[in-house]
Amino acid sequence: MHCPFCKHNDTRVLDSRVAEDGTSIRRRRLCPACERRFTTLEQMQLVVVKRSGAVEPFSREKVIAGVAKACKGRPVTEGDLALLGQQVEEALRAAGLAEIPAHDVGVAVLGPLSQLDPVAYLRFASVYKQYNCVEDFEAEISQLRAQTVAVG
């Protein structure tokens, strides 16, 4: 690790701690050349493999933006969306894979979204699952009703 101040190519770790959310490690470092201290954050990087084969870093913000479109006009708060984004990221990290197919990201969204707002879920699912006719909506609504009866 290069020192951000003097660019010395070797630094010493003084302290390492797991962050509160458990997904990263905070390291306090000291540069032996300039004796300045700084903090680094080490985090496992998740990447999403798109259908085209392109790879891009996972973005919780991108997930939230996509879900926000489905939630437009619904009684869903920014806090609800942030929690959903966190749940999706935690589910993907729990899978233990560094490369996640884009399809799996959509699957990870569907569960929490169906609990958050059934109408937003139908909107998202209609695009994600590529509904082609009214019968596709009817089948999805029947499944939602069955889940509601099973839970309630």
Side-chain angles (χ1 to χ4, degrees):
M1 169 70 56
H2 293 280
C3 173
F5 305 107
C6 71
K7 307 298 183 222
H8 185 72
N9 65 357
D10 190 27
T11 59
R12 196 175 97 206
V13 176
L14 300 174
D15 183 42
S16 293
R17 296 183 187 189
V18 176
E20 287 181 23
D21 62 1
T23 62
S24 60
I25 298 174
R26 180 186 164 277
R27 299 194 194 280
R28 195 73 181 134
R29 296 179 177 267
L30 172 70
C31 175
C34 69
E35 296 187 4
R36 292 183 77 177
R37 295 176 185 223
F38 60 98
T39 302
T40 59
L41 194 65
E42 184 177 312
Q43 190 171 33
M44 182 183 92
Q45 182 162 4
L46 292 174
V47 294
V48 177
V49 181
K50 304 289 234 170
R51 287 184 211 135
S52 66
V55 177
E56 67 179 45
F58 172 79
S59 168
R60 185 187 297 189
E61 291 75 26
K62 190 170 179 180
V63 169
I64 291 170
V67 174
K69 291 176 188 173
C71 293
K72 188 171 183 163
R74 301 296 303 157
V76 176
T77 67
E78 293 289 325
D80 293 335
L81 292 174
L83 181 59
L84 184 137
Q86 180 180 347
Q87 291 171 329
V88 169
E89 184 172 353
E90 287 172 356
L92 295 173
R93 287 188 185 280
L97 302 172
E99 292 186 353
I100 302 148
H103 177 267
D104 292 0
V105 176
V107 169
V109 167
L110 290 173
L113 186 55
S114 70
Q115 299 298 312
L116 179 62
D117 188 278
V119 173
Y121 167 83
L122 283 173
R123 290 175 179 171
F124 186 88
S126 70
V127 174
Y128 176 72
K129 294 181 177 183
Q130 299 175 346
Y131 291 173
N132 294 317
C133 58
V134 172
E135 288 77 19
D136 293 339
F137 280 95
E138 290 172 340
E140 197 70 49
I141 291 169
S142 294
Q143 285 183 339
L144 277 173
R145 285 185 176 142
Q147 288 173 357
T148 304
V149 170
V151 172

